[in-house]
Amino acid sequence: MVFLKKQTPFQKEWRKLRQQEQKLYQKRKMKKDSLLNKKLEEKIPPKLQETLDAAFAKAFVLIFQKGTGIIEKTCRPQKLVKDYQVRQFATEVKQTSKSLRAFTGKARSTGTKNLLLSGASGIGMGILGIGLPDIPVFTAMILKNIYEISMNYGFGYKEEKEKYFILLIIQGALSYGESFERINRAADRFIETRQMPQDYDDKKQIEEVSGTLSKELLYMKFLQGVPVAGAVGGAFDAVYMKRISEYAALKYWHRYLEEHGSR
């Protein structure tokens, strides 16, 4: 008689993670344009894409350089670090699936909270017809969300290598097809090696991420600039925040399991 070896809680979580990653790969094979995007396509001003690219790039540089302290006032990093330490201690002592699930549960609640905040902000600005000025606010909320998720799993966000990983997460969350596969592989390489590419150029990556964001948000930010009707475009801030939250939680969980558990 053959006896199957019982899986440890970490091994069970690894199996679940792989299933979630595989499901995500299938969803990101191809992008389907919405009917609303197709209707808006012919109305988009020719240079709006360039304007959005520049606006997102400027927002990232400004927030990375000067805005982190402001974000920290809203996310209370010291409390998040202490909460992580409590969960980590419980996991080390109990070594149960329940103690491990406390990490993913906390990340989900963080994502949901920020999703609601971004949706309310986007709709409010959309009602007023505020589109482009919403970009720095939305960018700050994206980074706040990822900072909080990273701390839920015991990781930082200030070091250059952490900024690199954060930019990969944002870009990967909004990419499809070969682009998604390339970015996701880069994120996994960082998780395994904890090293940035030798030829890494932060300005170039910010430009790439800004381009991905602006391309994905082009139609909705255009619509958001129309008073009242812009509420529909603003509501999509929450849609994209949800995608970023889910991908961030998946990748930081991957990092946590890589560093703390055996496969």
Side-chain angles (χ1 to χ4, degrees):
M1 182 179 292
V2 178
F3 291 95
L4 296 177
K5 186 178 179 180
K6 185 178 180 180
Q7 288 187 320
T8 68
F10 272 104
Q11 289 171 334
K12 290 178 181 178
E13 292 304 320
W14 266 114
R15 179 171 54 81
K16 291 178 184 177
L17 174 70
R18 292 310 186 193
Q19 291 172 346
Q20 291 170 345
E21 288 180 330
Q22 188 58 40
K23 187 179 294 185
L24 182 63
Y25 297 154
Q26 296 302 318
K27 287 174 64 177
R28 295 300 175 80
K29 282 186 175 180
M30 186 180 297
K31 179 181 179 181
K32 297 179 181 179
D33 282 332
S34 69
L35 181 61
L36 179 58
N37 283 358
K38 291 178 180 178
K39 288 184 176 181
L40 291 172
E41 186 172 6
E42 60 187 32
K43 299 180 180 180
I44 300 294
K47 293 188 177 181
L48 181 59
Q49 184 77 69
E50 295 178 16
T51 303
L52 279 176
D53 286 353
F56 273 116
K58 184 177 180 180
F60 275 113
V61 171
L62 180 64
I63 295 168
F64 273 148
Q65 290 181 348
K66 301 179 181 179
T68 299
I70 297 173
I71 293 176
E72 286 178 337
K73 292 180 180 179
T74 66
C75 65
R76 298 184 297 170
Q78 291 181 342
K79 182 180 185 304
L80 291 176
V81 170
K82 288 181 180 178
D83 288 348
Y84 160 76
Q85 291 171 341
V86 170
R87 288 193 299 275
Q88 181 60 21
F89 179 74
T91 297
E92 291 172 357
V93 172
K94 298 179 181 179
Q95 297 186 8
T96 63
S97 295
K98 184 177 180 180
S99 63
L100 279 172
R101 287 196 297 269
F103 288 96
T104 53
K106 182 62 177 178
R108 280 196 300 271
S109 65
T110 295
T112 300
K113 176 192 67 178
N114 287 308
L115 183 154
L116 294 173
L117 287 173
S118 64
S121 173
I123 291 171
M125 290 191 174
I127 289 173
L128 298 175
I130 300 174
L132 290 179
D134 176 47
I135 288 176
V137 176
F138 184 53
T139 303
M141 294 190 74
I142 288 174
L143 293 176
K144 172 183 178 292
N145 188 30
I146 297 178
Y147 291 172
E148 290 180 343
I149 291 173
S150 71
M151 286 185 285
N152 286 335
Y153 289 112
F155 299 104
Y157 52 86
K158 291 184 178 181
E159 294 181 37
E160 192 67 22
K161 67 177 183 178
E162 295 298 344
K163 293 178 182 179
Y164 164 71
F165 189 60
I166 287 169
L167 289 170
L168 283 178
I169 285 173
I170 297 170
Q171 191 174 10
L174 302 178
S175 297
Y176 296 87
E178 292 181 0
S179 293
F180 171 75
E181 291 180 9
R182 173 177 60 83
I183 296 159
N184 192 64
R185 282 197 301 269
D188 287 347
R189 277 196 301 272
F190 176 81
I191 290 172
E192 292 173 5
T193 66
R194 306 177 196 178
Q195 298 292 326
M196 297 187 297
Q198 292 184 349
D199 60 348
Y200 176 63
D201 184 334
D202 61 337
K203 292 182 180 179
K204 183 178 178 181
Q205 193 184 9
I206 285 176
E207 288 176 359
E208 288 184 8
V209 174
S210 299
T212 301
L213 271 167
S214 65
K215 185 177 180 181
E216 189 68 19
L217 292 165
L218 177 64
Y219 300 106
M220 292 303 105
K221 288 303 169 188
F222 169 72
L223 182 61
Q224 192 176 348
V226 180
V228 183
V232 176
F236 273 79
D237 280 5
V239 174
Y240 294 112
M241 184 67 78
K242 183 174 186 292
R243 286 174 54 181
I244 292 169
S245 294
E246 291 176 346
Y247 190 62
L250 191 70
K251 286 301 161 187
Y252 278 109
W253 187 222
H254 189 155
R255 280 185 73 177
Y256 178 87
L257 292 176
E258 184 76 39
E259 293 194 16
H260 296 279
S262 58
R263 304 192 186 196

